[in-house]
Amino acid sequence: GASLGCGGIGLWIDGTLITTETFIESRVIECEPEQSVFDLIYQWQRAGHDYKLTKRITIRRGDRLFKTDAVFQRDGEFADTLTVAVGLTTHDGKAKATRNLKAGWVACWEEIDGSDLGTGIVMDPQVIEDYKLVESDKPDESHALLIAKTNKRGKVSWWSGYGWERAGEIRNTLQWEKYLTDFSEKH
């Protein structure tokens, strides 16, 4: 679907989120008990340009957030200063979105099947240009977004993940927001 889920990325063109299609290729870089690293490669065309996105995802055992390094190419060249949006679905507005751009995070908190769940994104505050809450009547198109630009090599990085009430460590939105702030200070 069109949802960015928990930490998906799309282009941000003229105030509109442009999502990618399904990845066309994947590569396992590392698969060990302590860490998994893999690439997902996407290609598409938009407004006369050929785009390629390579997302490298690093998941470490025991970490609540996973890291994504995304590299964009446009017409075969690194897409420097490309405006992108990294987001969280609000599940059609059911999740309450909060943010702290100074600390570099956006979060959602909601009840799903009788239990509370938080999702979040942490990004270097210096690359964040804006925050947008996109509300839509169309299913899966409502998001809380961090707007950023790629660097000279077409790259942007962030961490995303979740906290679940039933796991016992994070039981409410204030604890989730504190977790994201603390995480941001360490990374």
Side-chain angles (χ1 to χ4, degrees):
S3 168
L4 293 180
C6 180
I9 190 168
L11 299 177
W12 186 253
I13 299 174
D14 298 326
T16 301
L17 176 63
I18 310 298
T19 58
T20 61
E21 298 292 327
T22 305
F23 63 90
I24 61 165
E25 184 182 343
S26 64
R27 294 187 291 247
V28 175
I29 308 302
E30 179 181 346
C31 186
E32 300 296 331
E34 294 300 315
Q35 177 172 282
S36 293
V37 181
F38 59 94
D39 288 346
L40 300 174
I41 296 96
Y42 304 77
Q43 287 184 312
W44 72 99
Q45 292 184 328
R46 172 78 184 176
H49 295 285
D50 292 318
Y51 288 93
K52 180 178 180 181
L53 165 62
T54 302
K55 290 193 322 189
R56 175 157 293 177
I57 298 174
T58 303
I59 302 171
R60 293 192 48 81
R61 186 164 97 183
D63 287 355
R64 188 168 299 286
L65 305 180
F66 62 91
K67 185 172 187 198
T68 303
D69 296 303
V71 177
F72 283 87
Q73 291 178 310
R74 181 178 44 223
D75 300 326
E77 303 288 332
F78 288 117
D80 65 330
T81 65
L82 183 67
T83 305
V84 297
V86 179
L88 302 170
T89 181
T90 63
H91 290 119
D92 305 322
K94 295 176 190 126
K96 179 187 175 214
T98 56
R99 69 200 180 275
N100 181 332
L101 300 185
K102 185 176 177 183
W105 59 259
V106 62
C108 287
W109 191 265
E110 66 182 301
E111 181 184 321
I112 298 176
D113 296 331
S115 180
D116 286 353
L117 177 78
T119 55
I121 297 168
V122 177
M123 182 181 282
D124 178 352
Q126 295 194 25
V127 303
I128 298 172
E129 293 198 337
D130 202 357
Y131 163 82
K132 297 288 183 187
L133 182 62
V134 177
E135 298 173 310
S136 175
D137 293 336
K138 296 179 182 175
D140 297 329
E141 292 189 11
S142 296
H143 293 91
L145 302 171
L146 292 177
I147 309 300
K149 286 207 186 290
T150 58
N151 68 15
K152 291 180 184 179
R153 302 287 294 169
K155 183 177 179 180
V156 63
S157 300
W158 66 95
W159 290 264
S160 49
Y162 71 96
W164 185 37
E165 176 192 32
R166 287 187 188 166
E169 293 179 31
I170 296 172
R171 297 182 180 274
N172 59 54
T173 190
L174 294 177
Q175 289 175 335
W176 182 229
E177 292 170 3
K178 181 179 182 331
Y179 177 87
L180 295 173
T181 297
D182 292 347
F183 185 92
S184 175
E185 290 172 359
K186 295 174 187 172
H187 296 85

mmCIF file of all heavy atoms in Angstrom, residues 28-54:
data_model
loop_
_atom_site.group_PDB
_atom_site.id
_atom_site.type_symbol
_atom_site.label_atom_id
_atom_site.label_comp_id
_atom_site.label_asym_id
_atom_site.label_seq_id
_atom_site.Cartn_x
_atom_site.Cartn_y
_atom_site.Cartn_z
ATOM 1 N N VAL A 28 21.628 -9.664 0.999
ATOM 2 C CA VAL A 28 22.015 -9.855 2.389
ATOM 3 C C VAL A 28 23.503 -9.555 2.486
ATOM 4 O O VAL A 28 24.325 -10.169 1.799
ATOM 5 C CB VAL A 28 21.719 -11.297 2.868
ATOM 6 C CG1 VAL A 28 22.241 -11.510 4.277
ATOM 7 C CG2 VAL A 28 20.223 -11.573 2.784
ATOM 8 N N ILE A 29 23.845 -8.605 3.348
ATOM 9 C CA ILE A 29 25.237 -8.200 3.550
ATOM 10 C C ILE A 29 25.837 -8.974 4.718
ATOM 11 O O ILE A 29 26.961 -9.444 4.656
ATOM 12 C CB ILE A 29 25.343 -6.683 3.815
ATOM 13 C CG1 ILE A 29 24.604 -5.880 2.731
ATOM 14 C CG2 ILE A 29 26.790 -6.247 3.959
ATOM 15 C CD1 ILE A 29 25.058 -6.107 1.319
ATOM 16 N N GLU A 30 25.046 -9.098 5.775
ATOM 17 C CA GLU A 30 25.509 -9.799 6.978
ATOM 18 C C GLU A 30 24.301 -10.414 7.671
ATOM 19 O O GLU A 30 23.262 -9.768 7.796
ATOM 20 C CB GLU A 30 26.197 -8.802 7.918
ATOM 21 C CG GLU A 30 26.693 -9.383 9.210
ATOM 22 C CD GLU A 30 27.343 -8.328 10.104
ATOM 23 O OE1 GLU A 30 27.655 -7.219 9.647
ATOM 24 O OE2 GLU A 30 27.525 -8.637 11.290
ATOM 25 N N CYS A 31 24.456 -11.639 8.120
ATOM 26 C CA CYS A 31 23.384 -12.301 8.856
ATOM 27 C C CYS A 31 24.022 -13.120 9.977
ATOM 28 O O CYS A 31 24.367 -14.282 9.790
ATOM 29 C CB CYS A 31 22.561 -13.177 7.923
ATOM 30 S SG CYS A 31 21.110 -13.890 8.728
ATOM 31 N N GLU A 32 24.211 -12.472 11.101
ATOM 32 C CA GLU A 32 24.848 -13.069 12.271
ATOM 33 C C GLU A 32 23.882 -12.972 13.451
ATOM 34 O O GLU A 32 22.946 -12.183 13.420
ATOM 35 C CB GLU A 32 26.160 -12.349 12.593
ATOM 36 C CG GLU A 32 27.185 -12.383 11.467
ATOM 37 C CD GLU A 32 27.682 -13.777 11.138
ATOM 38 O OE1 GLU A 32 27.696 -14.639 12.046
ATOM 39 O OE2 GLU A 32 28.033 -14.027 9.965
ATOM 40 N N PRO A 33 24.118 -13.738 14.508
ATOM 41 C CA PRO A 33 23.209 -13.674 15.662
ATOM 42 C C PRO A 33 23.087 -12.279 16.276
ATOM 43 O O PRO A 33 22.025 -11.918 16.767
ATOM 44 C CB PRO A 33 23.834 -14.655 16.661
ATOM 45 C CG PRO A 33 24.614 -15.604 15.830
ATOM 46 C CD PRO A 33 25.124 -14.804 14.667
ATOM 47 N N GLU A 34 24.132 -11.480 16.219
ATOM 48 C CA GLU A 34 24.102 -10.162 16.850
ATOM 49 C C GLU A 34 23.621 -9.047 15.925
ATOM 50 O O GLU A 34 23.199 -7.998 16.388
ATOM 51 C CB GLU A 34 25.490 -9.801 17.401
ATOM 52 C CG GLU A 34 25.934 -10.682 18.545
ATOM 53 C CD GLU A 34 24.999 -10.626 19.743
ATOM 54 O OE1 GLU A 34 24.585 -9.528 20.145
ATOM 55 O OE2 GLU A 34 24.658 -11.706 20.271
ATOM 56 N N GLN A 35 23.733 -9.268 14.608
ATOM 57 C CA GLN A 35 23.404 -8.191 13.677
ATOM 58 C C GLN A 35 23.051 -8.754 12.304
ATOM 59 O O GLN A 35 23.674 -9.694 11.834
ATOM 60 C CB GLN A 35 24.595 -7.246 13.546
ATOM 61 C CG GLN A 35 24.402 -6.127 12.553
ATOM 62 C CD GLN A 35 25.524 -5.121 12.595
ATOM 63 O OE1 GLN A 35 25.541 -4.293 13.485
ATOM 64 N NE2 GLN A 35 26.454 -5.178 11.656
ATOM 65 N N SER A 36 22.062 -8.116 11.679
ATOM 66 C CA SER A 36 21.715 -8.403 10.291
ATOM 67 C C SER A 36 21.773 -7.101 9.504
ATOM 68 O O SER A 36 21.325 -6.057 9.977
ATOM 69 C CB SER A 36 20.309 -8.986 10.182
ATOM 70 O OG SER A 36 20.256 -10.261 10.773
ATOM 71 N N VAL A 37 22.340 -7.193 8.299
ATOM 72 C CA VAL A 37 22.435 -6.035 7.412
ATOM 73 C C VAL A 37 21.987 -6.489 6.035
ATOM 74 O O VAL A 37 22.452 -7.523 5.533
ATOM 75 C CB VAL A 37 23.881 -5.488 7.350
ATOM 76 C CG1 VAL A 37 23.948 -4.267 6.433
ATOM 77 C CG2 VAL A 37 24.409 -5.154 8.741
ATOM 78 N N PHE A 38 21.090 -5.718 5.423
ATOM 79 C CA PHE A 38 20.632 -6.054 4.080
ATOM 80 C C PHE A 38 20.297 -4.793 3.305
ATOM 81 O O PHE A 38 20.045 -3.743 3.893
ATOM 82 C CB PHE A 38 19.437 -7.011 4.110
ATOM 83 C CG PHE A 38 18.242 -6.495 4.854
ATOM 84 C CD1 PHE A 38 17.223 -5.835 4.184
ATOM 85 C CD2 PHE A 38 18.127 -6.677 6.226
ATOM 86 C CE1 PHE A 38 16.109 -5.362 4.866
ATOM 87 C CE2 PHE A 38 17.015 -6.209 6.915
ATOM 88 C CZ PHE A 38 16.010 -5.553 6.231
ATOM 89 N N ASP A 39 20.350 -4.912 1.983
ATOM 90 C CA ASP A 39 20.002 -3.811 1.087
ATOM 91 C C ASP A 39 18.688 -4.128 0.386
ATOM 92 O O ASP A 39 18.428 -5.287 0.026
ATOM 93 C CB ASP A 39 21.066 -3.617 0.002
ATOM 94 C CG ASP A 39 22.366 -3.028 0.512
ATOM 95 O OD1 ASP A 39 22.391 -2.518 1.646
ATOM 96 O OD2 ASP A 39 23.360 -3.067 -0.243
ATOM 97 N N LEU A 40 17.901 -3.091 0.180
ATOM 98 C CA LEU A 40 16.705 -3.155 -0.653
ATOM 99 C C LEU A 40 16.876 -2.118 -1.752
ATOM 100 O O LEU A 40 17.190 -0.956 -1.468
ATOM 101 C CB LEU A 40 15.443 -2.860 0.162
ATOM 102 C CG LEU A 40 15.157 -3.796 1.326
ATOM 103 C CD1 LEU A 40 13.953 -3.297 2.125
ATOM 104 C CD2 LEU A 40 14.937 -5.214 0.840
ATOM 105 N N ILE A 41 16.686 -2.515 -3.002
ATOM 106 C CA ILE A 41 16.896 -1.618 -4.136
ATOM 107 C C ILE A 41 15.564 -1.378 -4.836
ATOM 108 O O ILE A 41 14.818 -2.315 -5.129
ATOM 109 C CB ILE A 41 17.930 -2.209 -5.123
ATOM 110 C CG1 ILE A 41 19.302 -2.328 -4.441
ATOM 111 C CG2 ILE A 41 18.067 -1.321 -6.355
ATOM 112 C CD1 ILE A 41 19.589 -3.649 -3.883
ATOM 113 N N TYR A 42 15.287 -0.104 -5.086
ATOM 114 C CA TYR A 42 14.055 0.335 -5.734
ATOM 115 C C TYR A 42 14.415 1.113 -6.997
ATOM 116 O O TYR A 42 15.421 1.828 -7.016
ATOM 117 C CB TYR A 42 13.255 1.274 -4.833
ATOM 118 C CG TYR A 42 12.914 0.724 -3.477
ATOM 119 C CD1 TYR A 42 13.869 0.660 -2.464
ATOM 120 C CD2 TYR A 42 11.621 0.289 -3.192
ATOM 121 C CE1 TYR A 42 13.550 0.168 -1.204
ATOM 122 C CE2 TYR A 42 11.296 -0.203 -1.929
ATOM 123 C CZ TYR A 42 12.268 -0.258 -0.946
ATOM 124 O OH TYR A 42 11.958 -0.738 0.286
ATOM 125 N N GLN A 43 13.593 1.020 -8.031
ATOM 126 C CA GLN A 43 13.749 1.842 -9.223
ATOM 127 C C GLN A 43 12.370 2.269 -9.704
ATOM 128 O O GLN A 43 11.417 1.489 -9.646
ATOM 129 C CB GLN A 43 14.452 1.069 -10.347
ATOM 130 C CG GLN A 43 15.920 0.882 -10.092
ATOM 131 C CD GLN A 43 16.611 0.193 -11.254
ATOM 132 O OE1 GLN A 43 16.140 -0.815 -11.751
ATOM 133 N NE2 GLN A 43 17.739 0.738 -11.672
ATOM 134 N N TRP A 44 12.286 3.524 -10.177
ATOM 135 C CA TRP A 44 11.031 4.020 -10.713
ATOM 136 C C TRP A 44 11.305 5.262 -11.549
ATOM 137 O O TRP A 44 12.406 5.802 -11.534
ATOM 138 C CB TRP A 44 10.015 4.290 -9.597
ATOM 139 C CG TRP A 44 10.313 5.499 -8.743
ATOM 140 C CD1 TRP A 44 9.755 6.739 -8.862
ATOM 141 C CD2 TRP A 44 11.233 5.582 -7.655
ATOM 142 N NE1 TRP A 44 10.277 7.584 -7.902
ATOM 143 C CE2 TRP A 44 11.181 6.898 -7.149
ATOM 144 C CE3 TRP A 44 12.091 4.685 -7.042
ATOM 145 C CZ2 TRP A 44 11.958 7.329 -6.080
ATOM 146 C CZ3 TRP A 44 12.863 5.116 -5.974
ATOM 147 C CH2 TRP A 44 12.786 6.418 -5.507
ATOM 148 N N GLN A 45 10.286 5.693 -12.272
ATOM 149 C CA GLN A 45 10.367 6.912 -13.067
ATOM 150 C C GLN A 45 9.359 7.910 -12.541
ATOM 151 O O GLN A 45 8.269 7.548 -12.111
ATOM 152 C CB GLN A 45 10.086 6.627 -14.540
ATOM 153 C CG GLN A 45 11.166 5.796 -15.197
ATOM 154 C CD GLN A 45 10.909 5.616 -16.679
ATOM 155 O OE1 GLN A 45 9.769 5.571 -17.125
ATOM 156 N NE2 GLN A 45 11.988 5.516 -17.449
ATOM 157 N N ARG A 46 9.761 9.173 -12.599
ATOM 158 C CA ARG A 46 8.871 10.245 -12.133
ATOM 159 C C ARG A 46 9.244 11.527 -12.872
ATOM 160 O O ARG A 46 10.405 11.928 -12.857
ATOM 161 C CB ARG A 46 9.019 10.426 -10.618
ATOM 162 C CG ARG A 46 8.326 11.606 -10.028
ATOM 163 C CD ARG A 46 6.855 11.344 -9.891
ATOM 164 N NE ARG A 46 6.219 12.558 -9.401
ATOM 165 C CZ ARG A 46 4.954 12.688 -9.241
ATOM 166 N NH1 ARG A 46 4.156 11.678 -9.479
ATOM 167 N NH2 ARG A 46 4.438 13.805 -8.821
ATOM 168 N N ALA A 47 8.280 12.132 -13.531
ATOM 169 C CA ALA A 47 8.454 13.422 -14.199
ATOM 170 C C ALA A 47 9.676 13.433 -15.122
ATOM 171 O O ALA A 47 10.470 14.374 -15.120
ATOM 172 C CB ALA A 47 8.536 14.549 -13.168
ATOM 173 N N GLY A 48 9.847 12.367 -15.904
ATOM 174 C CA GLY A 48 10.925 12.302 -16.875
ATOM 175 C C GLY A 48 12.288 11.935 -16.310
ATOM 176 O O GLY A 48 13.290 11.988 -17.025
ATOM 177 N N HIS A 49 12.353 11.556 -15.039
ATOM 178 C CA HIS A 49 13.622 11.173 -14.414
ATOM 179 C C HIS A 49 13.574 9.707 -13.986
ATOM 180 O O HIS A 49 12.532 9.208 -13.558
ATOM 181 C CB HIS A 49 13.911 12.040 -13.182
ATOM 182 C CG HIS A 49 14.134 13.477 -13.497
ATOM 183 N ND1 HIS A 49 15.292 13.947 -14.063
ATOM 184 C CD2 HIS A 49 13.332 14.555 -13.315
ATOM 185 C CE1 HIS A 49 15.201 15.251 -14.215
ATOM 186 N NE2 HIS A 49 14.021 15.650 -13.783
ATOM 187 N N ASP A 50 14.718 9.054 -14.088
ATOM 188 C CA ASP A 50 14.884 7.695 -13.587
ATOM 189 C C ASP A 50 15.487 7.782 -12.184
ATOM 190 O O ASP A 50 16.543 8.397 -12.005
ATOM 191 C CB ASP A 50 15.816 6.887 -14.492
ATOM 192 C CG ASP A 50 15.196 6.621 -15.847
ATOM 193 O OD1 ASP A 50 13.989 6.307 -15.902
ATOM 194 O OD2 ASP A 50 15.931 6.726 -16.860
ATOM 195 N N TYR A 51 14.821 7.170 -11.207
ATOM 196 C CA TYR A 51 15.292 7.179 -9.820
ATOM 197 C C TYR A 51 15.696 5.773 -9.405
ATOM 198 O O TYR A 51 15.088 4.783 -9.815
ATOM 199 C CB TYR A 51 14.187 7.653 -8.877
ATOM 200 C CG TYR A 51 13.900 9.128 -8.980
ATOM 201 C CD1 TYR A 51 12.904 9.596 -9.824
ATOM 202 C CD2 TYR A 51 14.621 10.045 -8.227
ATOM 203 C CE1 TYR A 51 12.632 10.950 -9.919
ATOM 204 C CE2 TYR A 51 14.356 11.403 -8.317
ATOM 205 C CZ TYR A 51 13.368 11.855 -9.167
ATOM 206 O OH TYR A 51 13.101 13.186 -9.262
ATOM 207 N N LYS A 52 16.716 5.733 -8.573
ATOM 208 C CA LYS A 52 17.129 4.494 -7.933
ATOM 209 C C LYS A 52 17.374 4.808 -6.469
ATOM 210 O O LYS A 52 17.996 5.815 -6.124
ATOM 211 C CB LYS A 52 18.409 3.942 -8.561
ATOM 212 C CG LYS A 52 18.877 2.635 -7.931
ATOM 213 C CD LYS A 52 20.129 2.115 -8.619
ATOM 214 C CE LYS A 52 20.586 0.816 -7.985
ATOM 215 N NZ LYS A 52 21.817 0.319 -8.622
ATOM 216 N N LEU A 53 16.868 3.948 -5.611
ATOM 217 C CA LEU A 53 17.047 4.085 -4.167
ATOM 218 C C LEU A 53 17.620 2.781 -3.642
ATOM 219 O O LEU A 53 17.076 1.714 -3.915
ATOM 220 C CB LEU A 53 15.697 4.374 -3.490
ATOM 221 C CG LEU A 53 15.621 4.200 -1.977
ATOM 222 C CD1 LEU A 53 16.566 5.137 -1.241
ATOM 223 C CD2 LEU A 53 14.186 4.394 -1.490
ATOM 224 N N THR A 54 18.716 2.894 -2.913
ATOM 225 C CA THR A 54 19.280 1.741 -2.212
ATOM 226 C C THR A 54 19.186 2.013 -0.719
ATOM 227 O O THR A 54 19.770 2.989 -0.233
ATOM 228 C CB THR A 54 20.747 1.495 -2.614
ATOM 229 O OG1 THR A 54 20.805 1.300 -4.032
ATOM 230 C CG2 THR A 54 21.300 0.269 -1.900
#
